[in-house]
Amino acid sequence: MAATAVGCSLCACSAIGGTQTDTAPPTATVSASQDTGSAEDAQDTQDDSDSDTFTVALDKTATWNNGVKAHLSGFSRGTSGEYASPSGKAYLAFSVTMQNGSKSSIDLSMVSLSCPDGAEEIFDTDAGFSGMPDTHLLPGKSLTWKAACVFPKTAKSAQIEIMPMDTSGSGWYRTAIFSGQVQ
């Protein structure tokens, strides 16, 4: 994987199931819920504004104008292992699924994921947190992998940002801001 971008770089898409299991049981299950109660926010969100960003509830799907999608799921908490980087830190773990509905391949090493409050990404191969896949995602494919960010045990509000980069020469993507409460 390429070096982490914007705090905690992460992203991926492909029909390849990159699912990994955590070696240590999570200390609590996290239920994602949106910060606001409007019906519009409860739905999946399409990037249709002129802004550099668009907001999505933590447990919903972000869709860019060209059909690329990102979804976060499987939230849990834990503590990073002795050989993790950083070690002994409370974390928020989740799965990232990216689906390439565009007509061009996506270089997943160019996708960035930013953790809550700019916290560090956890790299712990024993727990299945190996970073962003270092591959290209072909059109029509999707990929799921596990990620974790340093997240204090008492923290409730999470904001995770994902921005794929378009290396086909047609431009760049807006940043999807996944936001909500976790328990």
Side-chain angles (χ1 to χ4, degrees), residues 112-177:
S112 71
L113 180 133
S114 180
C115 294
D117 298 322
E120 291 181 77
E121 181 179 348
I122 300 285
F123 294 94
D124 187 345
T125 55
D126 291 340
F129 309 131
S130 301
M132 189 177 345
D134 186 16
T135 189
H136 285 79
L137 186 63
L138 296 173
K141 302 292 184 177
S142 66
L143 181 66
T144 299
W145 72 97
K146 286 178 64 173
C149 297
V150 172
F151 195 72
K153 291 179 181 182
T154 58
K156 299 288 184 199
S157 180
Q159 177 176 311
I160 300 167
E161 300 179 13
I162 294 180
M163 184 179 69
M165 296 296 291
D166 182 0
T167 57
S168 69
S170 63
W172 55 274
Y173 289 89
R174 288 167 171 66
T175 301
I177 303 171

Side-chain angles (χ1 to χ4, degrees), residues 1 11 44 78 102 117 157 177:
M1 170 178 128
C11 281
D44 294 347
S102 76
D117 298 322
S157 180
I177 303 171

Side-chain angles (χ1 to χ4, degrees), residues 1-165:
M1 170 178 128
T4 354
V6 188
C8 294
S9 289
L10 211 79
C11 281
C13 306
S14 185
I16 304 167
T19 320
Q20 302 161 344
T21 52
D22 207 342
T23 57
T27 57
T29 300
V30 178
S31 63
S33 63
Q34 62 211 41
D35 285 328
T36 61
S38 78
E40 180 179 316
D41 289 338
Q43 299 173 5
D44 294 347
T45 303
Q46 173 82 27
D47 171 22
D48 58 1
S49 70
D50 290 333
S51 169
D52 288 347
T53 64
F54 64 105
T55 305
V56 183
L58 271 180
D59 55 350
K60 300 299 175 186
T61 300
T63 303
W64 284 268
N65 289 335
N66 65 353
V68 171
K69 296 180 180 184
H71 182 77
L72 307 180
S73 63
F75 293 91
S76 63
R77 292 185 188 251
T79 302
S80 58
E82 176 182 1
Y83 302 108
S85 175
S87 63
K89 298 288 185 178
Y91 64 70
L92 176 64
F94 50 93
S95 293
V96 178
T97 299
M98 292 201 60
Q99 181 179 2
N100 187 355
S102 76
K103 295 179 181 178
S104 303
S105 66
I106 298 172
D107 183 350
L108 295 179
S109 68
M110 298 296 291
V111 177
S112 71
L113 180 133
S114 180
C115 294
D117 298 322
E120 291 181 77
E121 181 179 348
I122 300 285
F123 294 94
D124 187 345
T125 55
D126 291 340
F129 309 131
S130 301
M132 189 177 345
D134 186 16
T135 189
H136 285 79
L137 186 63
L138 296 173
K141 302 292 184 177
S142 66
L143 181 66
T144 299
W145 72 97
K146 286 178 64 173
C149 297
V150 172
F151 195 72
K153 291 179 181 182
T154 58
K156 299 288 184 199
S157 180
Q159 177 176 311
I160 300 167
E161 300 179 13
I162 294 180
M163 184 179 69
M165 296 296 291

